[in-house]
Amino acid sequence: MKAQLIDGKLISAEIKAEAAEEAAALKAQGIEPCLAVVLVGDNSASKVYVSNKQKACEAVGIKSVSHVLPGETTEEELLNLIDELNADKSVHGILVQMPVPKHIDDRKVIMAISPDKDVDCFHPVNVGYLHTGAKGFLPCTPAGIIELIKRSGHSIEGKNCVIIGRSNIVGKPVAMLLMQENGTVTICHSKTKDLAGICRGADIIVSATGKVDTVTADMVKEGAIIIDVGMNRNAEGKLCGDVDFENVKEVAGAITPVPGGVGPMTIAMLMKNCNTAARIQNGLM
Ligand code: GUN
C-alpha cells in the first residue's frame, strides 16, 4: 500500500479527549453540558447512530437525555417537544436524528430548533454564520473532515479540492470549510461533465455520493488525499465507501478507510458542539 492510512478512530479519540477536558472545565464552573437526543420511529440505522452518540456523551462526560417517540408521532407533537427543549435551561444541545418519518416536514423541524441549541448546525441561521465565517457551531461531518486532513499532517491552503456530492449535510458545508482553509474548491454532482477529468486535477478529493466506486484509481492524481464519506454495501453485502479503496490506495498519497475514517469523526465533532452550546448559553462565547 502506497498511501498513508488516515486513522479516523485515532483522531476522533484525540478530539473526544479534548472535548472531555472542555466538559470538565465547564463543570468546574458549575455548567453541566447536556444534549437532548430525539429519535422518531424505529429506523434501525438511526437507532445505532443515536446509541453511539449517547455512548460518546457518557465517555466524554456530557449529560444526555433521550426522547424516543413512536413512528406515528405527529409533526405538531414533535414541534411541541422541541419547544419544550428550547425552553429547558438544563438542555444545551438538541439533536433530532434524521431522517424523520415522511409525514413530518424535516425543514420545519430544523427551523424549530433554537439556533443556540443547534448542535448539528442545520438551522439556516447557523448555515449563514458558517458561510460568513463567524464563530459558533461547525457542521459535524464537514468539520471532522477538516480535522482528519490537518491532524494527519496535511495542509489545505492552495490545494485543488474536489467535492463530489452537493448535499446540505456534507457537500455544501465542506466546500465552505475547505474555502476558509484557503483551498480552491470545485463541487461536482450527478450532472457534472467529465468528473474523472476534474478529479485528476485534484490534490484533495472528498466523495459524498453514497455510490460504490464513485472514485476509481484512474481518476486519482498520484499523491492526492482521498476522503471517503460514503457508507454503502457492496455486491457482497460488505460495508464500503464511495471509493475503490483497494486500487486507489496504490495511487493516492493518503486515504480514509470505511469504516474507521470519517464516520467516528462526526460524533467527536458533535461532542465539541455540545460544549460550544453550553458556552453560548452561558454567555461564554
Ligand atoms: N442522520 C444522519 N447523520 C445525521 C447527523 O449528523 N445529524 C442528525 N441529526 N441526523 C443524522
Side-chain angles (χ1 to χ4, degrees):
M1 162 150 176
K2 178 183 171 290
Q4 167 198 12
L5 193 69
I6 300 178
D7 188 343
K9 275 196 201 153
L10 191 81
I11 297 173
S12 68
E14 262 170 42
I15 292 172
K16 281 191 277 188
E18 292 166 15
E21 279 179 30
E22 288 166 14
L26 284 164
K27 277 189 225 165
Q29 297 175 68
I31 300 162
E32 184 178 28
C34 173
L35 172 68
V37 180
V38 182
L39 173 64
V40 187
D42 57 7
N43 179 315
S44 52
S46 290
K47 281 187 192 163
V48 174
Y49 292 141
V50 162
S51 143
N52 288 342
K53 287 171 188 179
Q54 287 168 324
K55 279 183 205 151
C57 281
E58 199 176 334
V60 165
I62 289 171
K63 185 178 169 197
S64 77
V65 288
S66 72
H67 295 265
V68 180
L69 309 179
E72 308 80 64
T73 302
T74 64
E75 186 178 275
E76 191 186 2
E77 285 167 332
L78 177 57
L79 295 178
N80 285 341
L81 171 61
I82 293 171
D83 278 346
E84 281 170 31
L85 295 171
N86 281 337
D88 185 340
K89 287 207 175 348
S90 73
V91 168
H92 302 108
I94 302 172
L95 182 145
V96 179
Q97 186 66 24
M98 299 292 172
V100 286
K102 282 195 181 61
H103 64 275
I104 297 175
D105 182 346
D106 54 6
R107 286 167 303 182
K108 280 195 195 158
V109 172
I110 288 169
M111 292 292 282
I113 296 170
S114 162
D116 283 351
K117 298 193 176 188
D118 172 35
V119 286
D120 271 317
C121 197
F122 288 168
H123 192 288
V125 164
N126 288 322
V127 175
Y129 284 140
L130 169 69
H131 281 232
T132 53
K135 280 214 174 84
F137 295 118
L138 291 173
C140 300
T141 302
I145 290 169
I146 301 296
E147 293 296 334
L148 281 178
I149 296 171
K150 294 213 268 190
R151 293 187 191 225
S152 58
H154 304 278
S155 73
I156 297 167
E157 183 157 311
K159 299 267 169 76
N160 284 334
C161 307
V162 171
I163 299 159
I164 316 174
R166 54 179 151 174
S167 70
N168 287 333
I169 296 190
V170 182
K172 284 190 255 181
V174 81
M176 281 303 139
L177 295 179
L178 287 164
M179 200 155 56
Q180 280 163 20
E181 296 291 333
N182 298 319
T184 301
V185 175
T186 306
I187 305 181
C188 301
H189 47 75
S190 52
K191 303 287 185 283
T192 294
K193 292 189 177 130
D194 192 22
L195 176 65
I198 295 170
C199 284
R200 278 193 284 270
D203 304 306
I204 298 173
I205 297 177
V206 177
S207 182
T209 64
K211 291 198 174 69
V212 175
D213 287 349
T214 299
V215 179
T216 50
D218 59 301
M219 298 165 70
V220 173
K221 181 165 85 174
E222 184 88 26
I225 299 167
I226 311 297
I227 307 292
D228 191 347
V229 191
M231 249 317 180
N232 315 307
R233 299 255 168 209
N234 66 12
E236 293 94 59
K238 197 174 151 236
L239 192 64
C240 67
D242 294 349
V243 176
D244 174 10
F245 183 86
E246 285 309 313
N247 294 306
V248 170
K249 76 181 185 348
E250 304 303 331
V251 185
I255 187 167
T256 62
V258 176
V262 174
M265 297 300 293
T266 301
I267 293 182
M269 300 314 290
L270 173 67
M271 298 300 105
K272 289 236 164 179
N273 277 347
C274 292
N275 289 329
T276 299
R279 281 201 300 272
I280 289 174
Q281 280 149 71
N282 285 281
L284 299 174
M285 87 178 266

